[in-house]
Amino acid sequence: MAARPSRLPRLQLNLIAMAGGKIIAICQSGGEFVTEKDGSLSYNGGDAHAIDIDEETQFNDFKWELAEMCNCNIGTMSIKYFLPGNRKTLITVSNDKDLKRMINFHGDSITVDVYVLTGDTIAHVVSSMPASRSSRTTFSEAVVPADAPVDTPMDVVVDAPNITTVVEPNNAAAAVAVAVDIPFITPVSVNVFSNSKDGNNHKNKSWENAITGVDQRFNSVHEFRDALHKYAIAHGFAYRFKKNDPNRVTVLCKAEGCPWRIHASKLSTTQLFCIKRMTPTHTCEGGVVTAGYRATRSWVASIIKEKLKESPNYKPKDIAVDIKKEYGIQLNYSQAWRGKEIAKEQLQGSYKDAYNQLPFFCEKIKETNPGSFATFATKEDSSFHRLFVSFHPSLSGFQQGCRPLLFLDSTPLNSKYQGTLLAATAMDGDDGVFPVAFAVVDVETDDNWHWFLLELKSAVSTSRSITFVAGRQKGLRESLAEIFENAYHGYCLRYLSEKFKRDIKGQFSHEVMRLIVADFYAAAYAPRLEGFQKCLESIKSISLEAYNWVVQSEPEHWANALFGGARYNHMAANFGEMFYSWVSEVDDLPITQMVDVIRGKMMELIYTRRVESNQWLTRLTPSMEEKLQKETLKARSLEVLFSPGSTFEVRGDSIEQVDIDHWDCSCKGWQITGLPCLHAIAVFECISRSPYDHCSRYFTTECYRLTYSESIHPVPNIDEHTLKESANVTVTVTPPPTRRPPGRPKNKQIGLPEIVKRQLQCSRCKVIGHNKKTCKESS
């Protein structure tokens, strides 16, 4: 390490905060700086002098007293300091505002480097670096190179102070910079110990050096704009574009008359963007820059992108809190939300581009999963209309191992361009959801349902009679009857009961309505006609209008006692809750990514259930085995009377007729569920037959394994390069015209219990619709 010159600094000044708001400046002179082994400097020896300061002390008064005590020329004195983390830009302290600004800048700092200059040296040390805003900073003010070692040999005789300021932790005051007349720039250290309650302004220190000056280069104009924005935030000023295009950018300080400006342009024959000219000084007073200007959507996106990658559910309100805490910028909800949208698109890809990838994506689905169906349709203007997807393992699994029962339902999508997902799900032998096919359409209409069912028929291609459990809407009812000639349409009991309550709403008290709905459900589940009629009579005794509504609602489509098809006692269309939960997790992704995530979940589901079923040792699936065992326990108390042929009489709480050859019992439980009822099991016990031989084959472990015997394969990622290589895809698909409206989207409630809102009822006249206070009857 090079030795320092013989004439070393002889002055150190310590500012100490005392009780009562006083600050005592202790000046030591006559000592010398000592270079430690690690290269740091310490000040030893000398005499001590003290100066009393309080919070009302003016900067000039303090400067005069210090100059008089140290025998310095106040007229040629200049005090400068670096911003926190920035050793390339010097800020001048020349008035009370500057002093307070320096205090605010370093409220959370441990140390600050301060330099003292005289008029003899300022002209010799002209900065080539950008200067940050100060009320008195000029272009010719000196800057010490950030990498200049403090122990470099010098030809100039130097005397300089080392200034240390200690602020009492509970005192709101902070560091104060002082000046001494010396012939060269010399760094001094100010130690600040602050207990500031404002922990919200922790800007990224590297942003202060995001712009360093002329000849600085960037990979693109976007990178330059991003660096400029961060630089402006770190230094607290606003700017405006005089010129802003992909090849040239000229920026001015937004303050009127301020000379700060920067010009950058693209280097010819390269993609690099370079700063060509820069005036780095500010003469404006600065002030607070509004958050609305400083926090652009793209800037917010750049800040939160990494965290959003780790936490996809990062909420806008949490984003605003974090930005305020880390950067001191207050965002409103809209700014945070829009910034999140941009960050999501940067991470996930463009929503718009995803639609244009659909032709290639559908081809890849069919190529990687032979036998699968993937087709789309556009409108006349090439905008997206609908997409149908059904993977071959789903179709094969449905045909080989699932009951001929399909549930049709829809759920809205919370994507940028909205849309609706239509789905057809089945049940495996263990009563687990099994996705068969789904479609994304621009809007739920009768026409889109008709198209979906046409595609579904082409995909399923089975001779079995299928029972559909779906809503009662006219378009769907007519399309099912037209497209699937040998099919049954079971109305979804959940949707039907909701319409029932809406149609007779306001006529009954909460308690009465609850009883009517309970009777309605009992009528639907009643296995025999007499039980169904008994429930209807119960409804009729309460309300003739409710009774008439039930009779006119086509009960042959929803009541077990009258239904002609087999729906295995499953009454609601929203069976596939797990499948819809998958969709709700990814419905804000671009359309191709959403479909691929669903494909991945289906692939994982098939593999997991296949592995699990390989461990089963029972003949039936676990849930069906459990149901059969429960019925077997109940059957032990029954009495069986033998008769010629295959018909038996079974006595218990009721007397039932069992025909084992036709798999029939007068209780109708065997026919409805596909599992032997307790009466049939009692007969099998008496004649030494196994009830397992009389269970629907769809409930066997063997059939379950067939359902999950085939695997869904991955689909390769799509990028621009891949699309360019594909010469077969020439169709252009643009996003649908629908856009997500402002505000929080409403989540679809799936699988919730039926809730009847309490009706207002007068305690005086017992009439629905008003209370005692507003009752018009006289008391």
Side-chain angles (χ1 to χ4, degrees), residues 459-480:
V460 172
S461 183
T462 179
S463 58
R464 292 188 299 173
S465 176
I466 299 177
T467 296
F468 292 91
V469 179
R472 189 191 176 195
Q473 58 263 44
K474 181 180 178 182
L476 185 58
R477 184 169 70 246
E478 292 176 349
S479 294
L480 279 171

mmCIF file with all atom_site columns, all heavy atoms in Angstrom, residues 459-480:
data_model
loop_
_atom_site.group_PDB
_atom_site.id
_atom_site.type_symbol
_atom_site.label_atom_id
_atom_site.label_alt_id
_atom_site.label_comp_id
_atom_site.label_asym_id
_atom_site.label_entity_id
_atom_site.label_seq_id
_atom_site.pdbx_PDB_ins_code
_atom_site.Cartn_x
_atom_site.Cartn_y
_atom_site.Cartn_z
_atom_site.occupancy
_atom_site.B_iso_or_equiv
_atom_site.pdbx_formal_charge
_atom_site.auth_seq_id
_atom_site.auth_comp_id
_atom_site.auth_asym_id
_atom_site.auth_atom_id
_atom_site.pdbx_PDB_model_num
ATOM 1   N N   . ALA A 1 459 ? -66.872 -37.708 -30.954 1.00 0.00 ? 459 ALA A N   1
ATOM 2   C CA  . ALA A 1 459 ? -65.750 -38.208 -30.153 1.00 0.00 ? 459 ALA A CA  1
ATOM 3   C C   . ALA A 1 459 ? -66.112 -39.500 -29.422 1.00 0.00 ? 459 ALA A C   1
ATOM 4   O O   . ALA A 1 459 ? -65.353 -40.470 -29.433 1.00 0.00 ? 459 ALA A O   1
ATOM 5   C CB  . ALA A 1 459 ? -65.321 -37.142 -29.154 1.00 0.00 ? 459 ALA A CB  1
ATOM 6   N N   . VAL A 1 460 ? -67.291 -39.538 -28.810 1.00 0.00 ? 460 VAL A N   1
ATOM 7   C CA  . VAL A 1 460 ? -67.682 -40.707 -28.004 1.00 0.00 ? 460 VAL A CA  1
ATOM 8   C C   . VAL A 1 460 ? -67.965 -41.902 -28.904 1.00 0.00 ? 460 VAL A C   1
ATOM 9   O O   . VAL A 1 460 ? -67.511 -43.018 -28.644 1.00 0.00 ? 460 VAL A O   1
ATOM 10  C CB  . VAL A 1 460 ? -68.904 -40.362 -27.121 1.00 0.00 ? 460 VAL A CB  1
ATOM 11  C CG1 . VAL A 1 460 ? -69.431 -41.610 -26.448 1.00 0.00 ? 460 VAL A CG1 1
ATOM 12  C CG2 . VAL A 1 460 ? -68.536 -39.308 -26.087 1.00 0.00 ? 460 VAL A CG2 1
ATOM 13  N N   . SER A 1 461 ? -68.755 -41.693 -29.943 1.00 0.00 ? 461 SER A N   1
ATOM 14  C CA  . SER A 1 461 ? -69.010 -42.724 -30.948 1.00 0.00 ? 461 SER A CA  1
ATOM 15  C C   . SER A 1 461 ? -69.324 -44.079 -30.311 1.00 0.00 ? 461 SER A C   1
ATOM 16  O O   . SER A 1 461 ? -68.606 -45.060 -30.491 1.00 0.00 ? 461 SER A O   1
ATOM 17  C CB  . SER A 1 461 ? -67.796 -42.867 -31.877 1.00 0.00 ? 461 SER A CB  1
ATOM 18  O OG  . SER A 1 461 ? -68.054 -43.805 -32.887 1.00 0.00 ? 461 SER A OG  1
ATOM 19  N N   . THR A 1 462 ? -70.402 -44.136 -29.542 1.00 0.00 ? 462 THR A N   1
ATOM 20  C CA  . THR A 1 462 ? -70.778 -45.373 -28.856 1.00 0.00 ? 462 THR A CA  1
ATOM 21  C C   . THR A 1 462 ? -72.218 -45.721 -29.166 1.00 0.00 ? 462 THR A C   1
ATOM 22  O O   . THR A 1 462 ? -73.048 -44.834 -29.439 1.00 0.00 ? 462 THR A O   1
ATOM 23  C CB  . THR A 1 462 ? -70.593 -45.227 -27.338 1.00 0.00 ? 462 THR A CB  1
ATOM 24  O OG1 . THR A 1 462 ? -70.985 -46.442 -26.699 1.00 0.00 ? 462 THR A OG1 1
ATOM 25  C CG2 . THR A 1 462 ? -71.433 -44.081 -26.793 1.00 0.00 ? 462 THR A CG2 1
ATOM 26  N N   . SER A 1 463 ? -72.505 -46.997 -29.130 1.00 0.00 ? 463 SER A N   1
ATOM 27  C CA  . SER A 1 463 ? -73.877 -47.458 -29.378 1.00 0.00 ? 463 SER A CA  1
ATOM 28  C C   . SER A 1 463 ? -74.678 -47.540 -28.082 1.00 0.00 ? 463 SER A C   1
ATOM 29  O O   . SER A 1 463 ? -75.886 -47.797 -28.119 1.00 0.00 ? 463 SER A O   1
ATOM 30  C CB  . SER A 1 463 ? -73.850 -48.829 -30.057 1.00 0.00 ? 463 SER A CB  1
ATOM 31  O OG  . SER A 1 463 ? -73.153 -49.774 -29.250 1.00 0.00 ? 463 SER A OG  1
ATOM 32  N N   . ARG A 1 464 ? -74.021 -47.342 -26.960 1.00 0.00 ? 464 ARG A N   1
ATOM 33  C CA  . ARG A 1 464 ? -74.719 -47.405 -25.679 1.00 0.00 ? 464 ARG A CA  1
ATOM 34  C C   . ARG A 1 464 ? -75.722 -46.267 -25.543 1.00 0.00 ? 464 ARG A C   1
ATOM 35  O O   . ARG A 1 464 ? -75.503 -45.163 -26.046 1.00 0.00 ? 464 ARG A O   1
ATOM 36  C CB  . ARG A 1 464 ? -73.735 -47.333 -24.512 1.00 0.00 ? 464 ARG A CB  1
ATOM 37  C CG  . ARG A 1 464 ? -72.834 -48.533 -24.372 1.00 0.00 ? 464 ARG A CG  1
ATOM 38  C CD  . ARG A 1 464 ? -72.041 -48.456 -23.078 1.00 0.00 ? 464 ARG A CD  1
ATOM 39  N NE  . ARG A 1 464 ? -71.174 -47.276 -22.998 1.00 0.00 ? 464 ARG A NE  1
ATOM 40  C CZ  . ARG A 1 464 ? -70.487 -46.935 -21.911 1.00 0.00 ? 464 ARG A CZ  1
ATOM 41  N NH1 . ARG A 1 464 ? -70.581 -47.675 -20.806 1.00 0.00 ? 464 ARG A NH1 1
ATOM 42  N NH2 . ARG A 1 464 ? -69.714 -45.865 -21.926 1.00 0.00 ? 464 ARG A NH2 1
ATOM 43  N N   . SER A 1 465 ? -76.775 -46.527 -24.836 1.00 0.00 ? 465 SER A N   1
ATOM 44  C CA  . SER A 1 465 ? -77.731 -45.469 -24.515 1.00 0.00 ? 465 SER A CA  1
ATOM 45  C C   . SER A 1 465 ? -77.170 -44.663 -23.345 1.00 0.00 ? 465 SER A C   1
ATOM 46  O O   . SER A 1 465 ? -76.929 -45.202 -22.268 1.00 0.00 ? 465 SER A O   1
ATOM 47  C CB  . SER A 1 465 ? -79.089 -46.085 -24.128 1.00 0.00 ? 465 SER A CB  1
ATOM 48  O OG  . SER A 1 465 ? -79.980 -45.071 -23.730 1.00 0.00 ? 465 SER A OG  1
ATOM 49  N N   . ILE A 1 466 ? -76.958 -43.387 -23.573 1.00 0.00 ? 466 ILE A N   1
ATOM 50  C CA  . ILE A 1 466 ? -76.314 -42.534 -22.565 1.00 0.00 ? 466 ILE A CA  1
ATOM 51  C C   . ILE A 1 466 ? -77.358 -41.687 -21.857 1.00 0.00 ? 466 ILE A C   1
ATOM 52  O O   . ILE A 1 466 ? -78.283 -41.150 -22.485 1.00 0.00 ? 466 ILE A O   1
ATOM 53  C CB  . ILE A 1 466 ? -75.262 -41.619 -23.223 1.00 0.00 ? 466 ILE A CB  1
ATOM 54  C CG1 . ILE A 1 466 ? -74.178 -42.461 -23.896 1.00 0.00 ? 466 ILE A CG1 1
ATOM 55  C CG2 . ILE A 1 466 ? -74.639 -40.688 -22.192 1.00 0.00 ? 466 ILE A CG2 1
ATOM 56  C CD1 . ILE A 1 466 ? -73.138 -41.628 -24.627 1.00 0.00 ? 466 ILE A CD1 1
ATOM 57  N N   . THR A 1 467 ? -77.202 -41.588 -20.551 1.00 0.00 ? 467 THR A N   1
ATOM 58  C CA  . THR A 1 467 ? -78.034 -40.685 -19.755 1.00 0.00 ? 467 THR A CA  1
ATOM 59  C C   . THR A 1 467 ? -77.244 -39.416 -19.482 1.00 0.00 ? 467 THR A C   1
ATOM 60  O O   . THR A 1 467 ? -76.116 -39.471 -18.986 1.00 0.00 ? 467 THR A O   1
ATOM 61  C CB  . THR A 1 467 ? -78.441 -41.333 -18.421 1.00 0.00 ? 467 THR A CB  1
ATOM 62  O OG1 . THR A 1 467 ? -79.267 -42.474 -18.690 1.00 0.00 ? 467 THR A OG1 1
ATOM 63  C CG2 . THR A 1 467 ? -79.205 -40.346 -17.559 1.00 0.00 ? 467 THR A CG2 1
ATOM 64  N N   . PHE A 1 468 ? -77.837 -38.279 -19.820 1.00 0.00 ? 468 PHE A N   1
ATOM 65  C CA  . PHE A 1 468 ? -77.212 -36.983 -19.563 1.00 0.00 ? 468 PHE A CA  1
ATOM 66  C C   . PHE A 1 468 ? -77.916 -36.318 -18.389 1.00 0.00 ? 468 PHE A C   1
ATOM 67  O O   . PHE A 1 468 ? -79.147 -36.248 -18.339 1.00 0.00 ? 468 PHE A O   1
ATOM 68  C CB  . PHE A 1 468 ? -77.318 -36.072 -20.784 1.00 0.00 ? 468 PHE A CB  1
ATOM 69  C CG  . PHE A 1 468 ? -76.496 -36.522 -21.959 1.00 0.00 ? 468 PHE A CG  1
ATOM 70  C CD1 . PHE A 1 468 ? -77.034 -37.367 -22.927 1.00 0.00 ? 468 PHE A CD1 1
ATOM 71  C CD2 . PHE A 1 468 ? -75.177 -36.116 -22.091 1.00 0.00 ? 468 PHE A CD2 1
ATOM 72  C CE1 . PHE A 1 468 ? -76.279 -37.794 -24.009 1.00 0.00 ? 468 PHE A CE1 1
ATOM 73  C CE2 . PHE A 1 468 ? -74.403 -36.529 -23.172 1.00 0.00 ? 468 PHE A CE2 1
ATOM 74  C CZ  . PHE A 1 468 ? -74.961 -37.378 -24.127 1.00 0.00 ? 468 PHE A CZ  1
ATOM 75  N N   . VAL A 1 469 ? -77.139 -35.853 -17.459 1.00 0.00 ? 469 VAL A N   1
ATOM 76  C CA  . VAL A 1 469 ? -77.670 -35.041 -16.360 1.00 0.00 ? 469 VAL A CA  1
ATOM 77  C C   . VAL A 1 469 ? -77.234 -33.612 -16.635 1.00 0.00 ? 469 VAL A C   1
ATOM 78  O O   . VAL A 1 469 ? -76.032 -33.312 -16.651 1.00 0.00 ? 469 VAL A O   1
ATOM 79  C CB  . VAL A 1 469 ? -77.138 -35.514 -14.984 1.00 0.00 ? 469 VAL A CB  1
ATOM 80  C CG1 . VAL A 1 469 ? -77.692 -34.633 -13.877 1.00 0.00 ? 469 VAL A CG1 1
ATOM 81  C CG2 . VAL A 1 469 ? -77.512 -36.969 -14.754 1.00 0.00 ? 469 VAL A CG2 1
ATOM 82  N N   . ALA A 1 470 ? -78.203 -32.750 -16.906 1.00 0.00 ? 470 ALA A N   1
ATOM 83  C CA  . ALA A 1 470 ? -77.883 -31.388 -17.329 1.00 0.00 ? 470 ALA A CA  1
ATOM 84  C C   . ALA A 1 470 ? -79.019 -30.451 -16.947 1.00 0.00 ? 470 ALA A C   1
ATOM 85  O O   . ALA A 1 470 ? -80.045 -30.871 -16.404 1.00 0.00 ? 470 ALA A O   1
ATOM 86  C CB  . ALA A 1 470 ? -77.643 -31.344 -18.839 1.00 0.00 ? 470 ALA A CB  1
ATOM 87  N N   . GLY A 1 471 ? -78.826 -29.180 -17.254 1.00 0.00 ? 471 GLY A N   1
ATOM 88  C CA  . GLY A 1 471 ? -79.853 -28.179 -16.971 1.00 0.00 ? 471 GLY A CA  1
ATOM 89  C C   . GLY A 1 471 ? -81.090 -28.382 -17.831 1.00 0.00 ? 471 GLY A C   1
ATOM 90  O O   . GLY A 1 471 ? -81.123 -29.190 -18.767 1.00 0.00 ? 471 GLY A O   1
ATOM 91  N N   . ARG A 1 472 ? -82.103 -27.572 -17.507 1.00 0.00 ? 472 ARG A N   1
ATOM 92  C CA  . ARG A 1 472 ? -83.391 -27.728 -18.172 1.00 0.00 ? 472 ARG A CA  1
ATOM 93  C C   . ARG A 1 472 ? -83.567 -26.739 -19.327 1.00 0.00 ? 472 ARG A C   1
ATOM 94  O O   . ARG A 1 472 ? -84.611 -26.712 -19.971 1.00 0.00 ? 472 ARG A O   1
ATOM 95  C CB  . ARG A 1 472 ? -84.499 -27.515 -17.125 1.00 0.00 ? 472 ARG A CB  1
ATOM 96  C CG  . ARG A 1 472 ? -85.896 -27.857 -17.586 1.00 0.00 ? 472 ARG A CG  1
ATOM 97  C CD  . ARG A 1 472 ? -86.896 -27.350 -16.580 1.00 0.00 ? 472 ARG A CD  1
ATOM 98  N NE  . ARG A 1 472 ? -88.277 -27.556 -17.000 1.00 0.00 ? 472 ARG A NE  1
ATOM 99  C CZ  . ARG A 1 472 ? -89.310 -26.962 -16.454 1.00 0.00 ? 472 ARG A CZ  1
ATOM 100 N NH1 . ARG A 1 472 ? -89.126 -26.113 -15.448 1.00 0.00 ? 472 ARG A NH1 1
ATOM 101 N NH2 . ARG A 1 472 ? -90.542 -27.192 -16.878 1.00 0.00 ? 472 ARG A NH2 1
ATOM 102 N N   . GLN A 1 473 ? -82.546 -25.889 -19.608 1.00 0.00 ? 473 GLN A N   1
ATOM 103 C CA  . GLN A 1 473 ? -82.719 -24.855 -20.609 1.00 0.00 ? 473 GLN A CA  1
ATOM 104 C C   . GLN A 1 473 ? -83.152 -25.448 -21.943 1.00 0.00 ? 473 GLN A C   1
ATOM 105 O O   . GLN A 1 473 ? -82.728 -26.524 -22.347 1.00 0.00 ? 473 GLN A O   1
ATOM 106 C CB  . GLN A 1 473 ? -81.445 -24.020 -20.768 1.00 0.00 ? 473 GLN A CB  1
ATOM 107 C CG  . GLN A 1 473 ? -80.197 -24.788 -21.146 1.00 0.00 ? 473 GLN A CG  1
ATOM 108 C CD  . GLN A 1 473 ? -79.352 -25.115 -19.936 1.00 0.00 ? 473 GLN A CD  1
ATOM 109 O OE1 . GLN A 1 473 ? -79.881 -25.524 -18.908 1.00 0.00 ? 473 GLN A OE1 1
ATOM 110 N NE2 . GLN A 1 473 ? -78.036 -24.942 -20.064 1.00 0.00 ? 473 GLN A NE2 1
ATOM 111 N N   . LYS A 1 474 ? -83.977 -24.671 -22.633 1.00 0.00 ? 474 LYS A N   1
ATOM 112 C CA  . LYS A 1 474 ? -84.652 -25.165 -23.833 1.00 0.00 ? 474 LYS A CA  1
ATOM 113 C C   . LYS A 1 474 ? -83.668 -25.608 -24.906 1.00 0.00 ? 474 LYS A C   1
ATOM 114 O O   . LYS A 1 474 ? -83.812 -26.682 -25.501 1.00 0.00 ? 474 LYS A O   1
ATOM 115 C CB  . LYS A 1 474 ? -85.565 -24.069 -24.375 1.00 0.00 ? 474 LYS A CB  1
ATOM 116 C CG  . LYS A 1 474 ? -86.337 -24.486 -25.623 1.00 0.00 ? 474 LYS A CG  1
ATOM 117 C CD  . LYS A 1 474 ? -87.225 -23.355 -26.119 1.00 0.00 ? 474 LYS A CD  1
ATOM 118 C CE  . LYS A 1 474 ? -87.970 -23.752 -27.387 1.00 0.00 ? 474 LYS A CE  1
ATOM 119 N NZ  . LYS A 1 474 ? -88.811 -22.637 -27.903 1.00 0.00 ? 474 LYS A NZ  1
ATOM 120 N N   . GLY A 1 475 ? -82.646 -24.786 -25.176 1.00 0.00 ? 475 GLY A N   1
ATOM 121 C CA  . GLY A 1 475 ? -81.707 -25.117 -26.238 1.00 0.00 ? 475 GLY A CA  1
ATOM 122 C C   . GLY A 1 475 ? -80.981 -26.418 -25.988 1.00 0.00 ? 475 GLY A C   1
ATOM 123 O O   . GLY A 1 475 ? -80.811 -27.242 -26.897 1.00 0.00 ? 475 GLY A O   1
ATOM 124 N N   . LEU A 1 476 ? -80.562 -26.644 -24.754 1.00 0.00 ? 476 LEU A N   1
ATOM 125 C CA  . LEU A 1 476 ? -79.854 -27.876 -24.413 1.00 0.00 ? 476 LEU A CA  1
ATOM 126 C C   . LEU A 1 476 ? -80.788 -29.071 -24.494 1.00 0.00 ? 476 LEU A C   1
ATOM 127 O O   . LEU A 1 476 ? -80.409 -30.151 -24.979 1.00 0.00 ? 476 LEU A O   1
ATOM 128 C CB  . LEU A 1 476 ? -79.256 -27.747 -23.009 1.00 0.00 ? 476 LEU A CB  1
ATOM 129 C CG  . LEU A 1 476 ? -78.369 -28.881 -22.522 1.00 0.00 ? 476 LEU A CG  1
ATOM 130 C CD1 . LEU A 1 476 ? -77.197 -29.093 -23.472 1.00 0.00 ? 476 LEU A CD1 1
ATOM 131 C CD2 . LEU A 1 476 ? -77.862 -28.589 -21.122 1.00 0.00 ? 476 LEU A CD2 1
ATOM 132 N N   . ARG A 1 477 ? -82.015 -28.903 -24.047 1.00 0.00 ? 477 ARG A N   1
ATOM 133 C CA  . ARG A 1 477 ? -82.984 -30.004 -24.089 1.00 0.00 ? 477 ARG A CA  1
ATOM 134 C C   . ARG A 1 477 ? -83.270 -30.431 -25.532 1.00 0.00 ? 477 ARG A C   1
ATOM 135 O O   . ARG A 1 477 ? -83.291 -31.621 -25.847 1.00 0.00 ? 477 ARG A O   1
ATOM 136 C CB  . ARG A 1 477 ? -84.270 -29.545 -23.377 1.00 0.00 ? 477 ARG A CB  1
ATOM 137 C CG  . ARG A 1 477 ? -85.322 -30.629 -23.267 1.00 0.00 ? 477 ARG A CG  1
ATOM 138 C CD  . ARG A 1 477 ? -86.452 -30.229 -22.336 1.00 0.00 ? 477 ARG A CD  1
ATOM 139 N NE  . ARG A 1 477 ? -87.278 -29.157 -22.901 1.00 0.00 ? 477 ARG A NE  1
ATOM 140 C CZ  . ARG A 1 477 ? -87.362 -27.931 -22.391 1.00 0.00 ? 477 ARG A CZ  1
ATOM 141 N NH1 . ARG A 1 477 ? -86.657 -27.614 -21.323 1.00 0.00 ? 477 ARG A NH1 1
ATOM 142 N NH2 . ARG A 1 477 ? -88.152 -27.022 -22.939 1.00 0.00 ? 477 ARG A NH2 1
ATOM 143 N N   . GLU A 1 478 ? -83.450 -29.447 -26.405 1.00 0.00 ? 478 GLU A N   1
ATOM 144 C CA  . GLU A 1 478 ? -83.741 -29.770 -27.803 1.00 0.00 ? 478 GLU A CA  1
ATOM 145 C C   . GLU A 1 478 ? -82.525 -30.370 -28.514 1.00 0.00 ? 478 GLU A C   1
ATOM 146 O O   . GLU A 1 478 ? -82.663 -31.279 -29.327 1.00 0.00 ? 478 GLU A O   1
ATOM 147 C CB  . GLU A 1 478 ? -84.208 -28.500 -28.528 1.00 0.00 ? 478 GLU A CB  1
ATOM 148 C CG  . GLU A 1 478 ? -85.561 -27.999 -28.038 1.00 0.00 ? 478 GLU A CG  1
ATOM 149 C CD  . GLU A 1 478 ? -85.953 -26.695 -28.710 1.00 0.00 ? 478 GLU A CD  1
ATOM 150 O OE1 . GLU A 1 478 ? -85.081 -26.095 -29.389 1.00 0.00 ? 478 GLU A OE1 1
ATOM 151 O OE2 . GLU A 1 478 ? -87.117 -26.276 -28.562 1.00 0.00 ? 478 GLU A OE2 1
ATOM 152 N N   . SER A 1 479 ? -81.335 -29.860 -28.197 1.00 0.00 ? 479 SER A N   1
ATOM 153 C CA  . SER A 1 479 ? -80.125 -30.373 -28.850 1.00 0.00 ? 479 SER A CA  1
ATOM 154 C C   . SER A 1 479 ? -79.849 -31.813 -28.462 1.00 0.00 ? 479 SER A C   1
ATOM 155 O O   . SER A 1 479 ? -79.454 -32.633 -29.306 1.00 0.00 ? 479 SER A O   1
ATOM 156 C CB  . SER A 1 479 ? -78.934 -29.491 -28.494 1.00 0.00 ? 479 SER A CB  1
ATOM 157 O OG  . SER A 1 479 ? -79.079 -28.190 -29.033 1.00 0.00 ? 479 SER A OG  1
ATOM 158 N N   . LEU A 1 480 ? -80.045 -32.157 -27.195 1.00 0.00 ? 480 LEU A N   1
ATOM 159 C CA  . LEU A 1 480 ? -79.833 -33.535 -26.754 1.00 0.00 ? 480 LEU A CA  1
ATOM 160 C C   . LEU A 1 480 ? -80.787 -34.489 -27.462 1.00 0.00 ? 480 LEU A C   1
ATOM 161 O O   . LEU A 1 480 ? -80.392 -35.567 -27.919 1.00 0.00 ? 480 LEU A O   1
ATOM 162 C CB  . LEU A 1 480 ? -80.016 -33.634 -25.236 1.00 0.00 ? 480 LEU A CB  1
ATOM 163 C CG  . LEU A 1 480 ? -78.837 -33.212 -24.380 1.00 0.00 ? 480 LEU A CG  1
ATOM 164 C CD1 . LEU A 1 480 ? -79.223 -33.151 -22.903 1.00 0.00 ? 480 LEU A CD1 1
ATOM 165 C CD2 . LEU A 1 480 ? -77.660 -34.167 -24.564 1.00 0.00 ? 480 LEU A CD2 1
#
